[in-house]
Amino acid sequence: MYNNYILQSFTYIFGSNSEIARELILIKIRNGIPLCLFTTNPSKLRLFLEEYGVIENEIINIYQYDLSNKIEIGSKLKSLMNEKPISSIFTMVGYLGSKDEKNSEEEIKKIYDINYFHIKNMFEHMIDLNLLESVGNISMASSVGSDLFYRRYRDYYESKRLLDSFICDLRLKVSKNDCKVANLKIGPVYDTRMGPSKGFFKFFASAKKDVANLIYKNFNKNEMLYIPSFWKFVVKIYLSLPNRLLNFLKNLI
């Protein structure tokens, strides 16, 4: 059954060990979609897939990569694309930092590097190498928190706000190639390490399987997507509040 897929295009997923990415990978495997999976820990991803009876083969490929080294990634992708052309790219990368302690300067730098700078540098290098010319879709995981949250996990949400701006710039840069770029503004997810364990928003959190299914069904868009969609209306209401109330909520949440 796999032979017909060898000539097809592949979906490339960066940050494949993230909890939502794993659920998305399982959905794509069930639908017979050829995958190139990039992670800093291939053995961990292989163990996860083996639990579901999935073994690496000609259409399920796992690669180790260093997000901070754009030259290495560019060279690897340029070589790989000749054998496994890209149809879609998902960037499911995210780093929260500490949930319980104040982040050190080193941790804060890591938050901004992983969530924004390394992604930006990688895609800009891919553009320089003309690697995105045949790509149909790019989807990047951002966060509803970049619109809402200010006090808790401030650096994480600030880094996602920078990513939002870059996604808009990227959409313009690749529009001439008819490439669609989706900004996946994901709301709180309760069954992940990064999910809310306390506070107001835990009551509005979603399951990672549900989020992955929504991403799978809606990725082929050229716009900002709130996942689940009700967060779009929450954000609109939040931003329409009087400044005095808004400032109070910024310090509260």
Side-chain angles (χ1 to χ4, degrees):
M1 60 179 286
Y2 294 142
N3 292 337
N4 291 333
Y5 290 121
I6 297 175
L7 299 178
Q8 290 189 9
S9 299
F10 284 70
T11 293
Y12 285 38
I13 301 179
F14 295 92
S16 294
N17 255 322
S18 73
E19 292 166 281
I20 297 175
R22 286 180 171 188
E23 299 296 331
L24 180 63
I25 288 166
L26 293 176
I27 294 170
K28 287 182 174 293
I29 288 173
R30 287 195 293 268
N31 285 275
I33 297 173
L35 299 172
C36 289
L37 308 175
F38 296 84
T39 174
T40 57
N41 193 336
S43 60
K44 184 178 179 181
L45 182 58
R46 290 188 181 99
L47 284 174
F48 169 79
L49 292 176
E50 286 172 6
E51 291 178 5
Y52 291 87
V54 178
I55 306 298
E56 191 173 4
N57 53 56
E58 61 265 35
I59 68 162
I60 302 171
N61 308 270
I62 301 174
Y63 305 95
Q64 186 168 13
Y65 81 123
D66 179 1
L67 192 64
S68 67
N69 193 332
K70 68 176 185 180
I71 303 300
E72 178 185 306
I73 295 174
S75 177
K76 180 178 289 187
L77 291 176
K78 189 173 183 179
S79 175
L80 186 60
M81 283 179 60
N82 292 327
E83 180 185 354
K84 297 177 173 64
I86 305 176
S87 61
S88 301
I89 297 176
F90 285 81
T91 303
M92 306 299 295
V93 177
Y95 183 71
L96 181 66
S98 174
K99 291 184 70 173
D100 304 314
E101 303 175 3
K102 184 177 180 180
N103 288 305
S104 64
E105 289 186 9
E106 183 179 353
E107 276 290 281
I108 291 173
K109 181 180 184 302
K110 187 175 179 180
I111 290 169
Y112 282 92
D113 281 345
I114 292 176
N115 294 324
Y116 171 62
F117 287 110
H118 292 166
I119 294 172
K120 175 179 179 289
N121 292 340
M122 180 182 74
F123 275 95
E124 287 181 343
H125 190 54
M126 290 173 72
I127 290 173
D128 291 340
L129 295 176
N130 299 317
L131 298 183
L132 299 180
E133 290 186 348
S134 61
V135 177
N137 310 96
I138 299 172
S139 299
M140 291 197 191
S142 183
S143 173
V144 168
S146 64
D147 293 332
L148 293 174
F149 306 159
Y150 288 82
R151 186 174 64 85
R152 298 176 71 233
Y153 317 133
R154 178 183 180 277
D155 293 302
Y156 174 77
Y157 294 121
E158 286 291 339
S159 68
K160 288 296 186 180
R161 191 172 293 112
L162 290 171
L163 180 65
D164 289 343
S165 296
F166 173 68
I167 293 172
C168 291
D169 292 340
L170 180 65
R171 187 178 293 125
L172 291 174
K173 289 178 180 179
V174 300
S175 60
K176 62 182 179 181
N177 302 329
D178 294 324
C179 178
K180 299 177 181 178
V181 180
N183 182 353
L184 308 175
K185 303 275 277 188
I186 300 172
V189 183
Y190 67 82
D191 53 350
T192 65
R193 188 194 74 82
M194 293 172 60
S197 56
K198 58 184 178 180
F200 178 76
F201 286 101
K202 74 175 183 179
F203 299 107
F204 298 91
S206 305
K208 58 189 176 185
K209 285 187 177 180
D210 294 336
V211 169
N213 269 300
L214 289 170
I215 291 173
Y216 177 75
K217 293 175 182 177
N218 294 285
F219 77 94
N220 190 20
K221 302 289 179 65
N222 198 38
E223 58 187 288
M224 183 182 295
L225 298 171
Y226 287 89
I227 298 176
S229 59
F230 71 81
W231 283 104
K232 179 178 181 179
F233 302 101
V234 173
V235 169
K236 282 187 175 181
I237 293 171
Y238 178 84
L239 295 178
S240 68
L241 295 174
N243 286 336
R244 180 175 296 182
L245 180 56
L246 196 60
N247 288 331
F248 172 76
L249 290 174
K250 286 178 182 179
N251 292 318
L252 180 67
I253 61 177

